[in-house]
Amino acid sequence: MTTPHHRPRPVLRIQRPPALVAIGAAAAGLVACGSDEGGSGGGAGSSTSAPDDLRSFTVVLDWTPNTNHAGMFLADASGWYEDAGLDVDFVEPGDSSSLQLLATGRADVAVSVAEELVPARAEGLPVRSVAAIIGHNTSSLVSLAETGITRPRDLAGRTYGGWGGQLEEALLHKLVACDGGDPDSVRFVDVGEADYRIGMERGQYDVVWVYDGWDGIRLAEIDGVDLNRIAFVDHTDCIPDWYTPILATSDDVTADRADDLRAFLAATRRGYQAAMADPAAAADAVLEVAPDLDRDLVERSATFLADRYAEDPAAWGVQDAAVWDGFTAFLVEAGLVEDGFDASTAWTGDYLDAD
């Protein structure tokens, strides 16, 4: 079983959120419809029956459970949230955006990505990032080695299979142009949640966008596909680095539950530091929540991410203003965000206490 870990995320499309989907025993007490009531009891957490001495706290994931979430699952399994006075529930977002669920008070924290959060904040959603789950972008464009696509300008005249998002087109055009190729000759086809290996082998498209820590591993190491890779992080002279995934919260939570947010982030940081030190334990924590996942893939992914969650374990979660400014400027240049948006409103480091 794979998860949609490889999806390039589209710019946020606001939609009415469906009921949240509880994740196994970790969310056993969650009332699916949540609560929109505020107050000191907290947004989504106020709908959950927690032990008298613990405060309910709800985290909505971006997709189904995977290794991006390993630090949180490890913190939960280790009892560190309870030590912080929190009863943490993890829920899946269903067909909606985790940020929309966060903004409507159905969660206290959401896993998201900068490419959704910046447009969401620009559209007026009261959400912002509070921690970077992974320190640098781990996305790549991959193609079969036989295609000979080894650098961005080789994409000229080729076909990209993706989700049809404006961000995808803007990134590929910039990459190809920066490398001296003709960006207008790149063809785009929408393939959605496809088996990328089959599509490439059948010649339906030449290149796709994957996350190295999941589908990159699955294709190259488990399926044995001979791939060429163009890593985004190798081309930050042309395109920006950005934080994907992130932990976000709402303005209501920072106003009403700042202490609980700090406690959650402190325990979460401890969880990701443990995942960095012991990838096997991180993999076990993910598999405990999602036992149907492929163990080999999860273990390889946990090892891959162990030194990528942060360059220094003590700095897990820390965000850089220059990264947010650079990515926001790219979105503005691409016409995905209106000029004049203040990138500093999309994130804060005030709730992530330093070691």
Side-chain angles (χ1 to χ4, degrees), residues 253-272:
V253 171
T254 58
D256 299 335
R257 304 195 68 186
D259 289 344
D260 286 345
L261 178 61
R262 287 190 177 93
F264 169 78
L265 289 174
T268 298
R269 168 180 274 184
R270 187 177 178 186
Y272 279 98

Side-chain angles (χ1 to χ4, degrees), residues 232-319:
F232 287 1
V233 75
D234 291 341
H235 295 276
T236 52
D237 57 334
C238 176
I239 61 173
D241 191 9
W242 72 92
Y243 297 121
T244 176
I246 55 174
L247 293 177
T249 196
S250 68
D251 291 351
D252 283 346
V253 171
T254 58
D256 299 335
R257 304 195 68 186
D259 289 344
D260 286 345
L261 178 61
R262 287 190 177 93
F264 169 78
L265 289 174
T268 298
R269 168 180 274 184
R270 187 177 178 186
Y272 279 98
Q273 289 171 337
M276 296 176 74
D278 190 351
D284 286 343
V286 173
L287 290 164
E288 181 67 24
V289 173
D292 290 338
L293 290 175
D294 181 279
R295 173 171 287 275
D296 189 20
L297 174 58
V298 171
E299 290 176 346
R300 289 172 184 263
S301 179
T303 298
F304 173 89
L305 289 173
D307 60 358
R308 290 173 173 83
Y309 290 124
E311 294 178 2
D312 177 359
W316 178 86
V318 173
Q319 303 170 90

Side-chain angles (χ1 to χ4, degrees), residues 2 13 44 67 70 73 78 101 105 107 153 156 163 181 202-204 212 229 247 283 303 323 327 329 341 344:
T2 62
R13 293 189 294 271
T67 45
F73 296 153
S78 301
L101 297 172
R153 70 186 182 199
W163 285 82
R202 291 178 177 175
Q204 296 169 345
D212 295 336
R229 187 184 308 271
L247 293 177
T303 298
V323 174
F327 183 60
F341 175 73
S344 68

Side-chain angles (χ1 to χ4, degrees), residues 7 30 65 67 95 97 105 110 155 171 185 229 231 235 253 276 289:
R7 295 186 184 186
L30 184 68
T67 45
D95 294 328
S97 159
L155 295 170
L171 285 165
S185 69
R229 187 184 308 271
H235 295 276
V253 171
M276 296 176 74
V289 173

Side-chain angles (χ1 to χ4, degrees), residues 116-125 127 336-338 341-342 345-346:
E116 283 191 331
L117 189 138
V118 173
R121 187 78 192 194
E123 290 180 15
L125 263 68
V127 295
L336 301 178
V337 172
E338 290 188 8
F341 175 73
D342 183 359
T345 65

Side-chain angles (χ1 to χ4, degrees), residues 177-190:
C178 281
D179 198 31
D182 177 11
D184 293 331
S185 69
V186 180
R187 296 182 294 271
F188 292 83
V189 296
D190 299 349

